[in-house]
Amino acid sequence: MKQKKLLTLFLTVATSFSMLVACSNATFAESTGTATVTESTNTTDKKQKADENQDAAKQLLVDLTGSYQELWPVILDEKYQQIWIDDCTELVGEENAEAAYDKLASMVSGTIYGEEAVEAYKDGDGVYDCSFKEGVNKLEFNGSDSVIKGYDSEGKEIFSHTYHYVGIEEVRGLYEFKSDDADSGEFTYFCIAPDTNDTTYHIELRYGSDLEALGKYDEGDYAYWLGSGISTDYDQTMVENCIELFCKENLSE
């Protein structure tokens, strides 16, 4: 009788252990399956996001089709100063409007960049150089062919390359493009903000030979530089809209 009870107890424990192992294995399998599904989902999401970014980058080049000159020499022209003052008045009051305008204008009127600017601004109060570099006076985009060209002040072509999307810049979310041509020098990479004539009335971009350096704004060869442009076909309305947007972005609480 005692032996029978021991056998029964042993079978009960063995059965319980088997059930525990089975349950554990099932849980592990479920967990592994969940991890596999999650990993697969994440991979799919990343691919979908990458595809969306690539499509958006292609569309951006199409939307940018046209020619651009430097922005700030245009909208900081003396004839538009009263528009600036009026927009600043609405945001900070009449007594502070002129000082606000002077501050905004100084923020984008830097004349140095790169290591020279890093040294000059090491104690703070850095301002941005927003001009075109490498002798470029006019930029031209042909989105349907993914072509970007640059011309000097005499209208002579400096460069012309086709470009393809390579990623998203992490700091400001600029779309990164790389030239399809070897030895493109300082026009190898273009990092372009998702701005167009129809949305922000101007463009912002950086270009150069070192993509990693282009992703840094307060150090390296391209520190304190962000090129800004406006359509060569700009009109009064575009100028007014651009000034209003800049004031609101920088003066609104």
Side-chain angles (χ1 to χ4, degrees), residues 64 66-69 132 137-139 141 197 203 230-232:
L64 289 175
S67 299
Y68 299 84
Q69 63 190 88
F132 294 161
N137 179 260
K138 182 178 74 172
L139 285 168
F141 292 82
N197 291 331
I203 64 171
I230 189 170
S231 172
T232 54

Side-chain angles (χ1 to χ4, degrees), residues 185-225:
E186 287 302 309
F187 306 106
T188 299
Y189 296 99
F190 267 78
C191 301
I192 309 174
D195 298 326
T196 68
N197 291 331
D198 294 330
T199 57
T200 62
Y201 323 108
H202 74 290
I203 64 171
E204 294 180 358
L205 48 76
R206 311 181 93 195
Y207 48 85
S209 58
D210 186 335
L211 185 59
E212 182 178 355
L214 285 168
K216 300 175 181 178
Y217 288 81
D218 57 1
E219 62 178 293
D221 293 340
Y222 308 104
Y224 296 98
W225 172 61

Side-chain angles (χ1 to χ4, degrees), residues 53-54 57 164-170 173-178 190-192 211:
N53 288 339
Q54 184 162 356
H164 62 277
Y165 168 77
V166 294
I168 295 286
E169 184 248 40
E170 294 182 356
L174 276 59
Y175 288 88
E176 299 169 336
F177 299 87
K178 183 178 181 180
F190 267 78
C191 301
I192 309 174
L211 185 59

Side-chain angles (χ1 to χ4, degrees), residues 2 16 87 90 93 101-102 139 189 210 227:
K2 185 176 181 180
S16 299
D87 286 342
E90 288 188 16
Y101 162 68
D102 290 339
L139 285 168
Y189 296 99
D210 186 335

